[in-house]
Amino acid sequence: MKYVGVDIGGSHLRVGLVDRENGLQKFESFSVPESFEDGVQIIINTVKKFDEKIEGIGLGLPGDITEEGVADASNLPQWNNQPVRRLLSDELKVPVFLFHDVAAAALGEYVFGSIKLSLPCIYFIWGTGVGGCQLAKVNEKIHISSFEVGHHVIVLDGKECVCGQRGCVETYIGGRSLAAMYGDLSQKTDEDQIWKDASKYASQAVKNTLAFFSAKQIIFGGGVVTKRPFLIELVREELTKKETFIKTPPMSLSSLEDQAGILGAAAACWIEQI
Ligand SMILES: [Zn+2]
């Protein structure tokens, strides 16, 4: 059986055809267009181009997931309060499931990744934006709790954040904030001081998260870190300095890189969750 997974973030819109047994079959990636209508049309056109019988579409979205779409997505404001579920199901005549983007990426890793996850596990997205979730098993069902780790305050009266607060984690390590502060990140070498500074903030965000959520494993995904796996080592070094009775579990990079979100959004169509 085949499904479509859609992963929409602050800068990318990815659409994939996913076979339940064999994983990703087809894959297209786009920049997020400025208008919501153009974004929906890209999804519709791509699904039609796949020209396959599908059982459903899963969408991974940032922000607060509602019945029809998303609200309060600070990195995707043009999608706020738009009826994306209805528009897609009316046009494509299949069930449409909406899912938090970070939870979708974690589910993708759990179902299709090559890493055998030890649950409970924490999944961090470190990309344009920053997010997290805990993946656990309760009564043999998968339970995913998403949390806005990027919007917890790490510096009192710090830098202004898109969410309206000051001093959020995302303003110190998010790809959009780093680019606004330091310019084109693709021009920065691995030795640049900005990565050492960002890793200090990222390690504190991990430490704070572990104070609230237990984890036997931590997985990192998202564009900033998947393009620079050495960041995990820098974060690990910082965490070693902060070691307390709250121990840091093993940390690694997602095995699915930028495809985790698509695979998980598709899997959300058939995996039973609580
Ligand atoms: Zn914020």
Side-chain angles (χ1 to χ4, degrees):
M1 284 196 280
K2 294 189 172 75
Y3 298 81
V4 165
V6 181
D7 177 24
I8 308 166
S11 54
H12 63 265
L13 195 173
R14 303 185 181 111
V15 187
L17 179 73
V18 178
D19 182 282
R20 189 165 166 166
E21 304 301 325
N22 302 306
L24 196 61
Q25 309 289 296
K26 296 177 185 173
F27 170 56
E28 302 253 357
S29 184
F30 309 88
S31 296
V32 175
E34 287 194 5
S35 85
F36 165 75
E37 290 76 14
D38 288 349
V40 169
Q41 202 54 52
I42 285 175
I43 298 170
I44 291 169
N45 293 346
T46 308
V47 173
K48 287 183 176 172
K49 196 172 121 189
F50 287 160
D51 194 24
E52 298 264 1
K53 180 181 176 340
I54 57 167
E55 308 298 320
I57 299 176
L59 262 79
L61 293 154
D64 273 347
I65 304 303
T66 64
E67 188 77 13
E68 280 298 323
V70 65
D72 296 323
S74 52
N75 283 321
L76 199 65
Q78 69 272 39
W79 285 62
N80 281 339
N81 303 309
Q82 298 280 5
V84 57
R85 195 189 63 75
R86 180 172 56 76
L87 292 175
L88 291 178
S89 60
D90 282 358
E91 180 69 25
L92 297 167
K93 315 289 184 215
V94 288
V96 175
F97 301 89
L98 306 178
F99 212 54
H100 191 257
D101 59 345
V102 180
L107 191 62
E109 190 69 48
Y110 176 74
V111 177
F112 289 107
S114 60
I115 301 169
K116 173 94 180 79
L117 297 186
S118 303
L119 303 185
C121 160
I122 287 174
Y123 195 99
F124 279 107
I125 292 281
W126 184 357
T128 307
V130 176
C133 70
Q134 187 202 45
L135 197 68
K137 209 165 207 180
V138 181
N139 297 330
E140 295 308 307
K141 288 184 184 170
I142 287 296
H143 178 70
I144 306 178
S145 313
S146 298
F147 45 86
E148 297 291 349
V149 64
H151 297 284
H152 85 279
V153 173
I154 207 161
V155 178
L156 278 180
D157 300 322
K159 292 178 196 294
E160 198 173 355
C161 183
V162 289
C163 75
Q165 295 193 108
R166 284 188 168 274
C168 291
V169 169
E170 190 167 300
T171 64
Y172 296 93
I173 72 169
R176 182 167 290 167
S177 302
L178 289 174
M181 282 190 284
Y182 302 108
D184 186 357
L185 298 181
S186 66
Q187 303 299 311
K188 304 292 174 195
T189 65
D190 293 358
E191 285 70 41
D192 199 290
Q193 184 64 32
I194 73 167
W195 305 123
K196 293 187 180 73
D197 294 343
S199 297
K200 284 183 187 165
Y201 291 109
S203 67
Q204 191 62 53
V206 170
K207 191 77 188 169
N208 292 354
T209 302
L210 289 170
F212 294 98
F213 293 94
S214 59
K216 291 182 180 164
Q217 192 169 15
I218 295 176
I219 305 289
F220 285 90
V224 170
V225 69
T226 51
K227 285 179 192 142
R228 300 170 192 85
F230 66 89
L231 286 173
I232 293 179
E233 201 44 53
L234 293 182
V235 169
R236 199 193 320 272
E237 283 170 20
E238 289 296 325
L239 281 165
T240 305
K241 297 177 201 165
K242 301 177 203 288
E243 201 63 77
T244 63
F245 69 95
I246 302 170
K247 301 296 179 204
T248 307
M251 301 192 296
S252 56
L253 199 63
S254 163
S255 65
L256 299 170
E257 300 189 356
D258 62 359
Q259 297 174 349
I262 300 175
L263 288 160
C269 299
W270 75 81
I271 294 278
E272 204 177 349
Q273 301 151 55
I274 57 166

